[in-house]
Amino acid sequence: MQTLDTFDWVAIVFYFLILLGIAVWVIRKKEDNTEDYFLAGRNVGWFVVGASIFASNIGSEHVVGLAGAGASDKLPMLIYEIHAWIVLILGWVFLPFYARSGVFTMPEFLEKRFDARSRWVLSIFSIVAYVLTKISVTIYAGGVVVSALLGIDFWTGAIATVILTGIYTVLGGMRAVVYTETLQAVLLVIGAGVLTYLGLEKVGGWGSLVETVKPEYLNMWRPPSDPDFPWPSLVISSTIVGIWYWCTDQYIVQRALTAKNIKEGRRGTIFGAVMKLMPVFLFLIPGVIALALKMKGELHWDSPDEAFPVLMSNVLPSGLRGLVAAGLLAALMSSLASVFNSVSTLFTVDIYKKLRPNTPEKKLVRTGQLATVVVVFIGIIWIPIMANISGVLYEYLQSVQSYIAPPITAVFLLGIFHKRINGLGAFATLIMGIIVAAIRIVLELIKGDLNPDGFLYKMGSMNFLTFGAWFFLVCVVFAVVTSLFAPAPSAEQVANLTFGTISEEEKSKNKNSYNWKDIVISILVLAVVVGIMIFFNGK
C-alpha cells in the first residue's frame, strides 16, 4: 500500500481549510436558540437538504463496509443501498405529517400522535441505538480509514477525527452540519466516481472484472434456503430497516425538517433519493474491483474492510489520492457530525426540556453541547465489544438494525395508517421491542456457550434477516391487540396525524406542494432501482 506524498497532503490541507472556512462562517451567523442550533432555523433549501441526507447516510462505515461487502461475497447486502425508493416514501408519505405537527424530533411526534410514555421510550431507545449502530461503527470505520491512509495508529486516528468533528458540531450546531455536509457529499461523489473509473480501467474493463470474479459472484438473489441471505427474508427485513432508518429516525428526518417548507423538504428527499442510487457504483463496485485485482495478484489486503483504502492508495494518482482521502475523512466526519447533533437534539428537546420546561434557550443549547461530548466517550468505549459481534462491519450494522427497527417501524406505520392504534399499543410495543432486541443481542454474543438443541440457542443463532421479518410481524400484531385493551384516541388527538383524519384544507395544501417534475423524477428513481435489481442476478 502506497503512502500519501506531498501533493496528497496539499490536497488534504486545502480541503480542510475550506471546511474550516465554512464552519467559521456558520458559527458567526448562528443564533443561540434551539430552532437555529438543532434545525438550522428551518430555512434550508432542497439542494442542501438532499446533499445533507446523502452525506449523513454515506459515512465511512458505508465506504469501508460496503466495499468490504463487495470484496467478501456479500453482494446481497447491496439491497440496503438501493433504498432510494424508501427515501421517496419519507418525502411523499411521512414528511407531510411531521411538517404539519411542527415537531423538532421523532419522539415528539409520537407524543402528539400517542402519549408522553412513547416519547420517553423512543428518546432513550434512540440514544442507545445511536451508540450501538452509528457512533461506534463510524468511529471504528474512521479508525480503519485514517490508519490505512495516513499510516498512523488506529486509536490515534479514530480519536483525533472524533475530537475535530466534535469541535465544529458543538460550536456550530445543525447549520454547521448541513453546510459542511454539502461540500463533503460533492467531494465524496467525485472522488469515488474517479476511483471506480480508474479501478475498472486497471482491471481491464467490466467484462474482465466479471470474468475474473465469475458472473455468479454478482448475484444479489440467494435461494430461500441460503443460510446467510435468503432472499424473502432479505427483502422483508431490509424494507423494515429502511423505513425505520429513512422515514422515522431522527438522524435522517432531522435534515428534512430543516427545510423552509414542505415543498423544499420533499424536493430535498427526492434529490437525496437520486444521490442514494450512487453508492452501488461508487463503493460496492470498487470492493469487487479490489477483489478481482487481489485474485490477479496485483493487490493485497488482509481484511475485506481494507479493500477500499488499499485500492484507493494503489490506483489513484498523486494529488487525487489525497483528495479522495479527504473525501473519506469527510464521510466519516459528516456521519459523526450528524449523529452528534441528533443525539444532542434528542437529549435536550425530549429529555432535558421535558424535565425542566422553563429552561432558557441559551441553557438548552449548552445542554445539547454537553450531551454530545458525553455520547462520544460512550461510543469509543463500545468499539471493542462491537468487534465481537460480526466479522464484516457492514453486516454488523445491518444485523443490529434488524433487531432495533421492527418495533419502531411498526409503531410509526400503524400510527399514520391506523387511527385506532392508541398510546397503550405504541408504548407496550416499544417496551416489548427493546426487551426482545436486547435478549437477541446478548444471545448472539453468548451462543457458543448455549446448548445447540435448546430454544435460546435457536433464538441467538437464527439468521438475522429471518429474525427481523418475524419480529416485525409479532410487533404489528402485538400493537393492534394491546390497543384494543384501551379506548380509541379522540378525534382531536389524531386530527391531521393519520391518513383517515386529514382535513380538506391540509389535503389541498399538500397537493400544491409538488408538481409534475417531482412525480417524473420520483418515477425515474423507481425505474433505476428495479433496473439494478434485475442487473445483479448473476447471469
Side-chain angles (χ1 to χ4, degrees):
M1 182 158 164
Q2 295 180 34
T3 52
L4 301 179
D5 61 22
T6 309
F7 287 112
D8 295 326
W9 283 107
V10 168
I12 291 173
V13 170
F14 180 68
Y15 160 73
F16 275 103
L17 285 174
I18 295 174
L19 196 68
L20 182 66
I22 292 173
V24 169
W25 172 71
V26 167
I27 290 164
R28 287 178 66 183
K29 279 188 71 172
K30 82 179 182 72
E31 300 165 34
D32 270 340
N33 63 62
T34 49
E35 185 162 80
D36 190 87
Y37 189 80
F38 297 121
L39 290 179
R42 291 193 200 257
N43 193 32
V44 175
W46 65 266
F47 183 87
V48 174
V49 170
S52 177
I53 286 173
F54 175 75
S56 300
N57 170 240
I58 302 300
S60 50
E61 78 277 9
H62 267 77
V63 179
V64 173
L66 191 54
S72 61
D73 199 22
K74 294 185 185 291
L75 208 82
M77 302 304 278
L78 156 67
I79 200 164
Y80 288 93
E81 291 314 305
I82 48 177
H83 273 170
W85 67 278
I86 299 180
V87 187
L88 294 176
I89 292 175
L90 167 62
W92 287 104
V93 179
F94 285 86
L95 189 59
F97 290 104
Y98 300 151
R100 252 179 242 130
S101 60
V103 296
F104 271 63
T105 69
M106 295 301 92
E108 193 180 354
F109 177 78
L110 283 195
E111 181 175 33
K112 291 206 169 186
R113 172 61 184 86
F114 299 113
D115 58 29
R117 294 176 300 177
S118 300
R119 178 177 183 169
W120 274 108
V121 174
L122 186 62
S123 304
I124 295 162
F125 191 26
S126 296
I127 290 170
V128 172
Y130 286 149
V131 174
L132 292 180
T133 65
K134 290 190 173 76
I135 294 176
S136 54
V137 174
T138 308
I139 295 170
Y140 174 80
V144 170
V145 170
V146 174
S147 59
L149 290 178
L150 310 185
I152 57 177
D153 168 65
F154 166 79
W155 283 100
T156 308
I159 293 168
T161 317
V162 168
I163 291 168
L164 189 62
T165 311
I167 289 169
Y168 80 75
T169 312
V170 167
L171 295 176
M174 187 62 172
R175 199 183 290 274
V177 172
V178 293
Y179 283 102
T180 52
E181 277 178 344
T182 305
L183 167 70
Q184 290 160 344
V186 172
L187 182 61
L188 194 56
V189 167
I190 294 170
V194 171
L195 177 62
T196 304
Y197 176 76
L198 293 178
L200 275 173
E201 261 195 356
K202 189 172 175 71
V203 88
W206 182 259
S208 174
L209 175 69
V210 175
E211 199 180 308
T212 306
V213 300
K214 304 291 179 257
E216 55 271 19
Y217 186 87
L218 297 173
N219 183 12
M220 64 181 283
W221 305 109
R222 305 277 171 89
S225 57
D226 187 84
D228 298 318
F229 303 107
W231 77 260
S233 299
L234 179 68
V235 170
I236 296 166
S237 271
S238 66
T239 302
I240 294 161
V241 169
I243 292 172
W244 163 68
Y245 180 88
W246 291 105
C247 303
T248 74
D249 194 30
Q250 183 68 24
Y251 178 72
I252 293 295
V253 178
Q254 192 168 340
R255 271 107 209 100
L257 295 179
T258 63
K260 294 173 188 174
N261 50 46
I262 181 70
K263 185 176 184 178
E264 294 290 315
R266 184 183 288 111
R267 283 206 174 149
T269 62
I270 293 169
F271 178 49
V274 171
M275 295 191 79
K276 182 62 186 162
L277 295 169
M278 296 178 183
V280 177
F281 311 103
L282 298 180
F283 309 123
L284 186 120
I285 297 300
V288 181
I289 292 168
L291 175 65
L293 289 172
K294 186 181 183 183
M295 289 166 82
K296 288 183 168 189
E298 295 176 31
L299 209 64
H300 176 73
W301 35 266
D302 298 316
S303 155
D305 286 341
E306 293 171 7
F308 193 93
V310 170
L311 178 72
M312 194 198 81
S313 69
N314 283 276
V315 169
L316 292 178
S318 174
L320 193 57
R321 192 167 51 226
L323 204 59
V324 179
L328 277 174
L329 296 172
L332 162 66
M333 291 171 69
S334 68
S335 284
L336 275 180
S338 301
V339 74
F340 290 167
N341 190 259
S342 295
V343 168
S344 67
T345 306
L346 284 169
F347 178 78
T348 308
V349 175
D350 286 315
I351 295 175
Y352 192 83
K353 196 177 178 183
K354 286 288 281 182
L355 293 172
R356 301 192 173 179
N358 299 319
T359 307
E361 293 274 296
K362 261 192 174 179
K363 191 171 182 190
L364 286 174
V365 171
R366 299 286 172 270
T367 305
Q369 291 170 331
L370 186 63
T372 304
V373 175
V374 172
V375 172
V376 172
F377 280 112
I378 297 169
I380 290 170
I381 292 162
W382 179 256
I383 294 173
I385 302 164
M386 187 201 83
N388 291 325
I389 294 184
S390 178
V392 176
L393 179 67
Y394 197 67
E395 194 178 351
Y396 160 80
L397 186 64
Q398 303 310 343
S399 65
V400 173
Q401 288 181 344
S402 296
Y403 317 144
I404 289 170
I408 301 174
T409 302
V411 165
F412 272 87
L413 279 176
L414 289 168
I416 66 169
F417 281 103
H418 193 346
K419 62 184 181 183
R420 177 63 180 84
I421 302 296
N422 53 30
L424 176 65
F427 173 69
T429 304
L430 290 172
I431 291 291
M432 181 273 291
I434 292 170
I435 293 167
V436 173
I439 291 170
R440 165 68 195 214
I441 290 172
V442 170
L443 290 176
E444 195 171 330
L445 286 169
I446 64 164
K447 66 185 176 189
D449 301 324
L450 298 172
N451 174 13
D453 299 321
F455 173 73
L456 291 180
Y457 180 82
K458 285 187 175 67
M459 271 279 287
S461 59
M462 183 192 291
N463 178 283
F464 74 93
L465 297 165
T466 306
F467 180 88
W470 283 110
F471 186 22
F472 176 71
L473 180 62
V474 168
C475 289
V476 169
V477 173
F478 189 82
V480 171
V481 171
T482 50
S483 289
L484 298 175
F485 287 94
S490 65
E492 294 76 34
Q493 190 181 347
V494 293
N496 292 318
L497 295 180
T498 72
F499 272 103
T501 59
I502 304 173
S503 68
E504 289 305 316
E505 184 190 354
E506 289 298 336
K507 282 179 185 174
S508 173
K509 271 189 200 171
N510 189 47
K511 217 169 186 179
N512 294 329
S513 67
Y514 61 86
N515 60 28
W516 66 270
K517 292 175 192 169
D518 301 314
I519 296 169
V520 168
I521 296 170
S522 298
I523 291 169
L524 287 173
V525 168
L526 294 175
V528 174
V529 169
V530 172
I532 292 170
M533 286 179 169
I534 294 168
F535 182 78
F536 286 97
N537 65 4
K539 289 176 183 169

